[in-house]
Amino acid sequence: MAGDHWTPPPVLLAVDLVIFTLRESALQVLLVERGIEPFKGAFALPGGFLADENEDVVAAAGRELYEEAALDAAELHLEQLGAYGTPGRDPRGRVISVAYLAIAPRLPEPQAGTDAARAVWVPMPEILDRRIRLAFDHEQILKEGLERARAKLESTSLATAFCTSPFTISDLQQVYEAVWGAELDPRNFYRKVQAIDGFLVPVGEERRAGRGRPARLFHVGERVTLWPPLVRPAIAAEREQ
């Protein structure tokens, strides 16, 4: 409006990271114990503010991945999860966070960043059962990251991002069971993934584990969207309500 003077509100921009991996056949998420206020001593997702006004948001996510977990963004699955900007979500001021979902197979022990007391892998059931509470609105962000991963396992090849290639169908089933939080029938799972043309490509090698028959090894194929989809059981969602 002519004559009015408008001043943009002071808003800070940050990134948060939901980093999933499979360790000991369990879905685990990387958390940091905050070494500074606010929420000193509480667990939170890794993340931080932009380094300066010229840093791109996705570049900030990649930088935080390296600083918080010594991970290279180019070597794992990284996608934007959403923006979180509810007023009051951060006592330091008006902070909008852009959250990213990162997935990689069997990640090593993490190293804490500069403002964290320590960094640890935590099994998701400990958070879903509320044995661990998170700072800020990070519980909401984490749950939405988990739901994104669960949904995409139904209709895309995202599960293979948890696997070191080549992998067996049993390895892939462990991913689905850990992320969905439900046991699957091995024969039905084998039949369903084999029925999706272009999802898995045999490499012509086998892996022997124990006294049973050796298992065939696969790479992920070119198909990104799975059809027919692998529909998850309703067990996990009902248990978490």
Side-chain angles (χ1 to χ4, degrees):
M1 183 179 297
D4 288 349
H5 179 72
W6 177 79
T7 302
V11 176
L12 298 171
L13 189 60
V15 295
D16 286 307
L17 298 162
V18 178
I19 307 173
F20 284 139
T21 194
L22 242 63
R23 293 167 62 87
E24 300 175 350
S25 301
L27 179 65
Q28 305 207 14
V29 61
L30 182 64
L31 298 180
V32 296
E33 181 181 340
R34 291 185 57 77
I36 59 174
E37 296 292 351
F39 300 108
K40 183 178 179 180
F43 281 107
L45 296 172
F49 293 105
L50 299 188
D52 55 54
E53 62 185 10
N54 295 315
E55 186 176 41
D56 195 350
V57 177
V58 69
R63 175 178 52 76
E64 290 290 342
L65 266 174
Y66 185 78
E67 292 180 359
E68 301 279 4
L71 299 176
D72 184 347
E75 297 180 356
L76 46 71
H77 175 87
L78 182 69
E79 66 177 66
Q80 190 177 117
L81 179 60
Y84 297 82
T86 301
R89 63 177 295 275
D90 191 322
R92 292 168 295 187
R94 188 76 168 91
V95 180
I96 295 176
S97 178
V98 180
Y100 284 82
L101 175 64
I103 293 172
R106 306 186 191 288
L107 294 175
E109 290 298 326
Q111 296 180 350
T114 54
D115 58 353
R118 63 187 176 118
V120 292
W121 291 109
V122 177
M124 274 304 298
E126 294 190 17
I127 301 169
L128 296 174
D129 293 344
R130 293 181 169 79
R131 282 174 275 170
I132 294 178
R133 307 305 294 264
L134 303 186
F136 307 104
D137 55 357
H138 288 184
E139 189 169 315
Q140 176 194 353
I141 297 173
L142 177 54
K143 286 185 175 179
E144 291 183 10
L146 177 61
E147 178 53 31
R148 171 76 66 86
R150 284 175 168 174
K152 293 191 77 168
L153 256 61
E154 292 184 296
S155 58
T156 77
S157 58
L158 180 64
T160 59
F162 286 94
C163 298
T164 301
S165 190
F167 51 84
T168 66
I169 290 182
S170 178
D171 294 334
L172 193 64
Q173 181 177 337
Q174 284 185 12
V175 173
Y176 275 88
E177 290 182 334
V179 176
W180 283 352
E183 292 186 6
L184 304 174
D185 180 81
R187 287 174 295 183
N188 283 341
F189 183 79
Y190 187 94
R191 176 176 53 79
K192 289 179 179 178
V193 298
Q194 288 284 62
I196 302 173
D197 186 42
F199 180 24
L200 303 179
V201 178
V203 300
E205 300 175 7
E206 297 178 332
R207 179 196 300 162
R208 180 178 293 279
R211 296 181 177 178
R213 296 175 56 187
R216 298 170 68 196
L217 293 171
F218 296 85
H219 288 307
V220 62
E222 296 182 351
R223 179 176 289 275
V224 175
T225 302
L226 305 185
W227 187 261
L230 297 167
V231 179
R232 61 184 140 165
I235 300 172
E238 292 173 355
R239 187 167 55 225
E240 292 160 13
Q241 286 179 351

